[in-house]
Structure formats: structure tokens, C-alpha cells
Amino acid sequence: DAAGSGLERIANGVNGFLFSDGNVEELSHLLESAISMSEVEWLHMKTECRRLALEWPVEYNLEVLKDLFLEPS
């Protein structure tokens, strides 16, 4: 399960991790995997996270939130 647009934006193990809502065992496994990642793997994930962040700038997210929560003028 994913909050917001997580399924569209997160590539599991590439730029983040996805796990089923309420599945503590799955989350625990992912955290263990993250802790055991090599420096090269972390650098790759960091690079992919940065690339994703640049594709989805804060301004875009603010516009989406305004559209969702503010009444039209």
C-alpha cells in the first residue's frame, strides 16, 4: 500500500521501499535490507531519489494540494 502517489513514484529498492500497510514483518525485513546495503547501493539510491525529487518539484506538489483542499476562486 502507498500513501499519496507512492506507487507512481517509488521503484521498490531503486529509489525507496514499498511495503504493505500494517505489515510489520515486511517493514522489518526492508529496514534490515536497507541497513545492510553497501555504500555503492546507497549512493545509487540517493542518486535516484534526487532525480525523482527534481522531476516532482515542491511547486508542483503545492499546486496539487491547493487543487485538493482549496475551493475554486
Side-chain angles (χ1 to χ4, degrees):
D1 304 339
S5 59
L7 292 176
E8 297 170 11
R9 299 171 71 177
I10 305 299
N12 197 36
V14 176
N15 60 3
F17 298 103
L18 297 170
F19 61 96
S20 301
D21 184 33
N23 190 332
V24 176
E25 186 175 320
E26 188 177 6
L27 174 58
S28 175
H29 175 72
L30 286 173
L31 290 172
E32 288 174 3
S33 296
I35 290 168
S36 66
M37 289 172 71
S38 70
E39 186 173 342
V40 170
E41 290 169 317
W42 271 111
L43 181 58
H44 177 72
M45 185 173 279
K46 175 183 169 183
T47 301
E48 289 300 311
C49 289
R50 178 75 175 148
R51 183 189 60 73
L52 180 66
L54 292 173
E55 289 177 8
W56 295 76
V58 171
E59 295 79 11
Y60 172 80
N61 292 322
L62 289 174
E63 287 300 317
V64 170
L65 290 172
K66 284 188 338 189
D67 290 344
L68 285 173
F69 295 108
L70 298 178
E71 293 182 32
S73 308

